[in-house]
Amino acid sequence: MSKLLIQGGKTLSGTVRISGAKNSAVAIIAACILFRGETILENVPKISDVQILLHIMEQLGAKIHWLNEESVSIEVPDQIEYSARYEEVRSLRASNLLLGSLLGRCGKAEVALPGGCDLGPRPMDLHIKGFSKLGATVETKNDYIQAKADHLTGAFIYLDFPSVGATENIMMAAAMAEGLTTIENVAKEPEIVDLANLLNSAGAKVRGAGTDIIKIEGVPELRTPHHTIIPDRIEAGTFLAAAAMTGSNLKLENVISAHLNPVIAKMRESGVIVRPNGSDIYVKGPNELKAVNVKTLAHPGFPTDMQPQIMSMLTIANGTSTIVENLFEERMKAAPELCKMGADITINGNIATVHGVKKLHGASVMAKDLRAGAALVIAALAAEGETEINGLTVIDRGYYQMEEKLAQLGATVRRVD
Ligand code: UD1
């Protein structure tokens, strides 16, 4: 199993280019099922989640061709399979997004119950309710979700919670349904807007993405779009936290700073200097971080995908911080590993109390999920001595060339296979 060895305690400097957004890329790749012919996607992060999803698309009959390191051509033939097999789907939560696009395109879909990061229970009830409202019959059988409909018809759908995946899945299924679909209490994440932009550039009629209500007027056919995926706000946030913890001066390129507002607000409260400038962000870590309180919420609240990284940052802040995790039950897995590095964190249900310490020290730790792994990487950069981070495959799911990017900034980091 691969591990990362990081010699900490160094200040970083220079420029880092942020890759395309993982969560946009997976939704947008799944949406390509809806388009007959060749779609070109730019700014695609070549991370393992994306590669696995592209492989599943190939198994469904699509032709995949990387045009360069970050552009991919996806050609979907007239006839495609509607069943995504168990083995690959199990390792990727986002494969559930194939349900909406397959249902929209083929009128039937069969996708194994998805895997991905173990963040606690991740039900699919909102997705299923949405498909049913559009006229599909949905069943869960032998670890597969099966959906079928002779005819999808627009409907009014209210989501009990603004779920990102359910919003995306219903948008895709509704894009070619007959008539108007109105979805209320939808997710407002930038990735939803990116998906709506892709669908609209293919000829769909999606209005309201980024607000609480999305309206979709179904169309009989969609064209093949050419689309550039938005930058990854979570990767950018992770580098902001790395700069903050190591007292470094960094420039982040290829960012949309407005997508990072909730993260930037907390960074500034903690004493970090953050200066957005066009598609760049300049960040300067302070001599001493201040404790802050954080609550994760659906967008535009503080993103749960940045919670482990800010927890890591606050381990060396002056004072006591409280972190409340409101989205996922098992999202505090970085805490015990950070404690091995000298952090002082107490967990009580979904609340973490972080008492800042002067310094972290190197240790042998395990990346238990994607963002917990990122939290350990940035902690290791700030820690005294060497940290060994095991379980790298989870970090590779969502960060493109993490160690190369860090090495370019002056970090002493080495992958050992
Ligand atoms: C997406 C992101 C993930 C991020 C999460 C929350 C992708 C590929 N992943 O995941 O990185 O952490 O949004 O911002 O985009 N829920 C239900 N029933 C459902 C669906 C969700 O109860 O049918 C609940 C979940 O248990 C969770 C909350 O809604 O508590 C948010 O989940 P959701 O927004 O659906 O997350 P994902 O789309 O899985």
Side-chain angles (χ1 to χ4, degrees):
M1 210 201 246
S2 304
K3 58 187 173 189
L4 211 55
L5 298 177
I6 297 179
Q7 198 67 45
K10 284 178 106 180
T11 308
L12 309 177
S13 64
T15 301
V16 59
R17 188 175 183 282
I18 301 303
S19 299
K22 163 187 166 291
N23 287 351
S24 253
V26 290
I28 279 171
I29 290 169
C32 288
I33 295 275
L34 292 166
F35 318 134
R36 265 168 234 247
E38 186 188 22
T39 302
I40 309 274
L41 300 178
E42 313 269 4
N43 204 30
V44 184
K46 214 175 187 177
I47 48 177
S48 69
D49 266 15
V50 160
Q51 308 226 42
I52 294 170
L53 186 58
L54 288 173
H55 190 65
I56 297 171
M57 297 278 285
E58 270 178 334
Q59 290 180 338
L60 295 173
K63 288 202 178 73
I64 308 295
H65 182 53
W66 284 91
L67 305 171
N68 58 46
E69 201 53 21
E70 50 187 39
S71 310
V72 72
S73 144
I74 300 177
E75 199 175 338
V76 177
D78 285 347
Q79 293 298 322
I80 50 161
E81 289 289 323
Y82 65 88
S83 177
R85 277 192 255 138
Y86 184 78
E87 303 75 32
E88 304 237 357
V89 169
R90 285 298 291 167
S91 64
L92 181 66
R93 167 86 191 163
S95 45
N96 71 50
L97 296 170
L98 291 165
L99 279 167
S101 56
L102 284 170
L103 188 61
R105 168 73 191 273
C106 311
K108 50 189 170 183
E110 185 176 82
V111 177
L113 281 170
C117 276
D118 182 12
L119 306 176
R122 292 178 82 170
M124 295 277 296
D125 57 313
L126 301 173
H127 305 236
I128 293 171
K129 273 188 208 162
F131 295 146
S132 305
K133 287 266 181 167
L134 295 175
T137 313
V138 191
E139 277 184 302
T140 307
K141 252 198 218 157
N142 307 328
D143 283 342
Y144 277 82
I145 297 185
Q146 295 168 330
K148 60 179 177 210
D150 292 334
H151 193 71
L152 290 174
T153 315
F156 174 81
I157 299 166
Y158 179 85
L159 295 181
D160 299 341
F161 184 88
S163 152
V164 173
T167 304
E168 292 171 339
N169 246 336
I170 298 167
M171 278 166 78
M172 288 189 268
M176 293 175 82
E178 195 184 325
L180 179 71
T181 298
T182 301
I183 326 171
E184 269 194 29
N185 198 29
V186 290
K188 292 181 281 196
E189 271 69 358
E191 292 76 22
I192 302 287
V193 179
D194 206 19
L195 176 63
N197 287 341
L198 168 96
L199 292 170
N200 286 340
S201 65
K205 292 186 178 157
V206 182
R207 283 173 291 132
T211 73
D212 293 311
I213 303 177
I214 292 181
K215 288 181 189 274
I216 303 160
E217 184 70 50
V219 295
E221 215 174 85
L222 293 169
R223 300 185 292 272
T224 48
H226 188 132
H227 183 81
T228 301
I229 288 169
I230 55 168
D232 197 311
R233 62 198 166 100
I234 306 300
E235 186 195 8
T238 304
F239 277 98
L240 291 182
M245 276 189 96
T246 53
S248 303
N249 240 321
L250 297 183
K251 178 183 167 192
L252 276 51
E253 280 181 355
N254 189 36
V255 275
I256 299 176
S257 65
H259 294 173
L260 279 145
N261 280 345
V263 174
I264 291 175
K266 283 293 154 189
M267 294 274 162
R268 285 182 174 151
E269 205 181 314
S270 189
V272 185
I273 295 171
V274 186
R275 272 195 302 116
N277 180 24
S279 60
D280 301 333
I281 293 183
Y282 293 89
V283 54
K284 189 174 185 306
N287 290 332
E288 186 176 75
L289 288 158
K290 288 181 250 176
V292 293
N293 297 328
V294 178
K295 272 187 195 158
T296 64
L297 289 168
H299 191 78
F302 189 90
T304 176
D305 287 353
M306 269 301 295
Q307 181 262 101
Q309 300 91 312
I310 200 129
M311 176 189 283
S312 184
M313 181 184 113
L314 294 172
T315 60
I316 54 166
N318 183 13
T320 298
S321 308
T322 305
I323 301 175
V324 184
E325 170 57 50
N326 287 313
L327 274 91
F328 295 114
E329 281 177 25
E330 307 276 334
R331 207 157 211 169
M332 299 274 190
K333 288 184 181 164
E337 303 301 305
L338 289 168
C339 290
K340 290 181 193 163
M341 300 176 71
D344 181 354
I345 307 169
T346 321
I347 306 286
N348 190 356
N350 66 332
I351 301 174
T353 307
V354 185
H355 300 286
V357 295
K358 282 267 173 278
K359 267 204 160 52
L360 299 177
H361 55 75
S364 175
V365 290
M366 176 61 103
K368 301 253 174 83
D369 64 53
L370 168 58
R371 305 303 171 185
L376 296 175
V377 170
I378 58 175
L381 293 169
E384 239 166 33
E386 187 174 84
T387 299
E388 176 185 289
I389 302 172
N390 296 285
L392 271 199
T393 41
V394 292
I395 301 181
D396 293 336
R397 285 190 42 214
Y399 289 88
Y400 181 55
Q401 295 187 330
M402 168 83 108
E403 67 267 24
E404 284 87 342
K405 289 185 182 183
L406 289 172
Q408 263 177 25
L409 299 175
T412 307
V413 45
R414 192 158 56 92
R415 179 184 286 253
V416 183
D417 287 316

